Amino acid sequence: MDLNKFYETWHEELQHHIHHLTNSPRPPTTPDHHHQLTQLVNQLLLHFSQYYRVTSLAATQNTLFYPRWSTTLERSLHWLTGWRPTTLFHLLYTESGILFESRLFDIIHGVQTADLGDLTAPQLTRLSELQCETVKLENAISDEMSEWQDDAVGVMGRTSVDVDIIGQLVKIVDKANDLRLRTLAKVVEVLTPQQAVELMIAAARLQLGIRRLGLKHDRERIEPSNQNQKVC
């Protein structure tokens, strides 16, 4: 598999998903609208799951920690090949706060906006519970990764890497990917279709924004290096 090609294609498809989500009927006014929003969210969930299946494959090829297909900035923000699951809650609360402030006048006058700025008390309670659960699971995986790194130090410098060591790494990466996807799916279950669409748009835009910024920084870093070589 050409991982570089997959990564580029995956981001191009992510842009298409954002386009469809952005142009979806919000707020939904019919059962068909609700169904459409749910379908769009499920399609994006599937898109994310495809990416993490491939990163698990990359781990078996020993290309995981130096992935040529990602930028320096992306790698600096990675937690086991991707975003930390708890990042989703920070993003959700940030988006909710922004929308709450922008709709404050309506909310004060009892107008329900039905968006992320209009989370109910039961929703907030459940999200808080999910966040606590996710923090514990994330920390447990981080501890496993630390133990793996200690074990891996002993095999560094060998011409062939121990198969068991790589196998352990793949299992840890699989756990991290599974936690990411399960966290996303569980949070979506708590939200209404409209709220889920708004969160997915924010998550996708964040990922694309970091990608674009990373590409820009890498280009700027490479260009001066090439110019210095020409001078020499």
Side-chain angles (χ1 to χ4, degrees):
M1 177 184 290
D2 186 338
L3 294 173
N4 291 302
K5 180 61 177 177
F6 168 81
Y7 200 61
E8 290 301 324
T9 301
W10 188 87
H11 274 87
E12 291 172 2
E13 292 175 354
L14 183 60
Q15 291 178 321
H16 291 302
H17 282 288
I18 292 178
H19 175 75
H20 292 308
L21 288 168
T22 303
N23 291 282
S24 61
R26 290 179 291 147
T29 56
T30 68
D32 285 342
H33 287 171
H34 282 276
H35 178 72
Q36 183 180 347
L37 295 183
T38 300
Q39 287 294 100
L40 290 172
V41 169
N42 289 338
Q43 288 170 10
L44 187 50
L45 286 172
L46 178 61
H47 190 60
F48 278 117
S49 70
Q50 289 172 341
Y51 170 74
Y52 288 114
R53 281 202 299 270
V54 171
T55 58
S56 293
L57 174 64
T60 66
Q61 298 178 356
N62 200 28
T63 61
L64 183 63
F65 291 104
Y66 302 97
R68 293 167 294 178
W69 64 88
S70 61
T71 65
T72 305
L73 176 61
E74 287 173 301
R75 291 194 293 273
S76 71
L77 298 173
H78 278 175
W79 174 80
L80 286 166
T81 75
W83 47 271
R84 284 182 174 272
T86 47
T87 302
L88 183 64
F89 296 96
H90 300 307
L91 178 63
L92 188 155
Y93 294 136
T94 298
E95 290 296 311
S96 178
I98 292 172
L99 287 171
F100 179 84
E101 290 183 4
S102 67
R103 309 280 199 278
L104 188 57
F105 181 82
D106 290 334
I107 294 172
I108 289 175
H109 289 82
V111 179
Q112 291 187 327
T113 59
D115 56 21
L116 275 179
D118 195 20
L119 294 171
T120 65
Q123 283 179 313
L124 290 170
T125 299
R126 180 54 184 147
L127 289 170
S128 179
E129 293 171 349
L130 283 175
Q131 185 175 13
C132 291
E133 294 170 9
T134 305
V135 167
K136 292 178 182 178
L137 293 170
E138 188 180 285
N139 288 341
I141 295 173
S142 292
D143 290 342
E144 282 191 59
M145 188 61 199
S146 294
E147 292 177 6
W148 179 88
Q149 289 173 324
D150 291 339
D151 293 338
V153 168
V155 300
M156 289 182 65
R158 295 184 186 177
T159 55
S160 60
V161 180
D162 192 307
V163 174
D164 290 337
I165 290 292
I166 295 299
Q168 292 169 13
L169 173 61
V170 172
K171 289 180 180 179
I172 296 172
V173 171
D174 284 343
K175 286 183 180 180
N177 289 338
D178 181 64
L179 180 58
R180 270 185 280 265
L181 293 171
R182 281 193 293 115
T183 301
L184 189 54
K186 287 182 178 180
V187 168
V188 166
E189 287 179 1
V190 176
L191 305 176
T192 66
Q194 177 181 344
Q195 292 169 341
V197 165
E198 290 166 350
L199 177 62
M200 297 298 268
I201 290 173
R205 283 178 172 168
L206 177 62
Q207 183 145 354
L208 284 175
I210 292 173
R211 172 70 174 169
R212 292 193 189 102
L213 186 60
L215 289 171
K216 180 176 181 292
H217 284 178
D218 283 354
R219 281 195 301 268
E220 292 174 348
R221 188 179 58 175
I222 292 172
E223 288 172 1
S225 176
N226 291 338
Q227 290 174 358
N228 291 334
Q229 289 178 3
K230 290 179 181 179
V231 172
C232 294

